[in-house]
Each structure stands twice: as structure tokens, then as C-alpha cells.
Amino acid sequence: MSGTLYLVATPIGNLGDFSPRAEATLREADFIAAEDTRVSMKLLNHFGIKKSLVSYHEHNQASAGQAILARLLEGESCALVTDAGTPAISDPGEGLVRLCAENGVPVISIPGCCAAVNALAVSGLPTGRFTFEGFLDVNKKARREHLESLQYETRTMIFHEAPHKLQNTLKDLCETFGPERRISLCRELTKLHEETRRTTLEEAMAYYQENTPRGEYVLVLEGAPKREKAALSLEEAVGQVLTLKDQGMRLKDAAREVAEHTGISKNELYAAALEK
């Protein structure tokens, strides 16, 4: 009988946010897989937990994942932790969860901190529907295509950003979505200098030209207003679908996007685009 993989959320700044259940899981697991063993060792020392650590991060996840899976299949239990927040959400873990699913290994999430959800909750922007976009690509072309694919996104959008990239990111967002689009910038969540700045893209750019960005940021961006459905022919709508596909969007997603703005059936658009 196989063991269990536990995804244990860790504090994003305030150690008081570490739950009793999460602490107990780390104590009871046979071993812990950590994104950075040095960071995780500080957490373990704080709570007086002595446990075997193995490394599992972005650059070794293929080989390390197989090694962890082998131990799980032998019946050991593993707690996966990242430096901060919930494993597999914009952090290592997705590949290991997939491996476990493919091999019948149970996976249990031990809930806790998630910076994106915390930032959304305090943003003052609509929370009913949102899309998590993570970090934008450093490659300019991929970055531009990513943002252009979101140009008509009506849901609230959530991005992560490092302080040294913030000003360029705000410039790109402003060029794509317009200066008046509302944004909430959350930094140092749960830490001593936690701050939430609710403003517009234009005002945010001006502020950070005068004030050096500090700390890790979560950007919560207002979605686009719903547009009236355009009276397009099927051929014109298919043209839009193919344009979005050329920009990197999956054909099915492109058909859904255009369907929302034209009133033409998603399935009809998809089938017509396939013929093209």
C-alpha cells in the first residue's frame, strides 16, 4: 500500500499563520520535500521539528520527483513544502502531484496561506470571478502576447511581481489595459510593513517613479467592462479566433473568448476554425 503526499502550506511572512494541523503533518510525515532546505530548516527549528529533508525544486523536479514517488510507493508518507505559501500554486509541486495521480498515490492538501487569495480579499475589486496569472514572462514577446490575450478579460486578474520588475510591469499593464484601469498593489503580506495601495495604473506608475518598490508584490487588476455583443459574420468571428490562436492562445480557448463577445456558438466557431 502506498504512502500519502501532503501539500503543506507554509507562512508567507508571519509564523503565527502556521496551523496546528500543518505542524502536526510535518511531525508525522516520514520525510519532508522542500523547495529550499535552508529556508524550511528555519521553519522546522522554530517549531522544534526534527525530520529528514530532501530537495525538490524547479531545476531538479524531474529526477527528485521520481525519487520521492518511489518512496511513496514503498509506503512512506511525504510532506511537500515550498519557501512560502501553497505548494503547486505558482511554486514547485504541480509535477509531483501529477506523478502521484498517475500512479494512484493519495494526495492531501493541508490548507493555509496563499498570497494571491489574501491580496484578492483586500483589493476592493470584484472577487466573484478571477483569474490567476502568476509571474509574467521575462521574454518581451511572450510577455506582450500574454497580456494581449487578457485584453478583454472581464474577470479580476492576479499577478505576482518582484520589486525590481514592478515599474516595467506597470508600464506594460498601462499600455495594454489603459491608464484608468483600477489596480490594487499588495506588498509584504502578513509582514511588519504590509501595505495595500488601491489606485489606477497611471497613478501607480507615477507613485513608483518617486518611490522605490520594496518587497514582493501581488497585483490585483480590474477586469474589462463587459462589451456589447458585436454583430459579426461567422467568417469575421473565425478570423478573430485564428488571430488569438496566432498570439499563443489554445484554439478552444480562443473560440470561447470570441463566443463571449459575439454571441456566436463556441462549438460552431471551434469547428469552423478547425476547417481553416
Side-chain angles (χ1 to χ4, degrees), residues 36-113:
D36 186 327
T37 54
R38 296 164 299 180
V39 173
S40 296
M41 187 59 73
K42 294 176 184 177
L43 179 71
L44 297 183
N45 288 340
H46 178 83
F47 288 97
I49 300 171
K50 297 187 183 299
K51 192 67 60 173
S52 169
L53 284 172
V54 299
S55 179
Y56 179 82
H57 51 73
E58 180 184 358
H59 304 294
N60 77 345
Q61 52 188 330
S63 58
Q66 290 294 339
I68 294 168
L69 175 64
R71 294 180 66 173
L72 287 164
L73 290 173
E74 289 173 0
E76 292 187 79
S77 62
C78 172
L80 176 66
V81 296
T82 57
D83 293 348
T86 301
I89 307 298
S90 198
D91 267 330
E94 179 183 340
L96 184 56
V97 172
R98 188 182 305 112
L99 267 180
C100 289
E102 292 169 352
N103 288 274
V105 174
V107 180
I108 294 176
S109 179
I110 309 299
C113 294

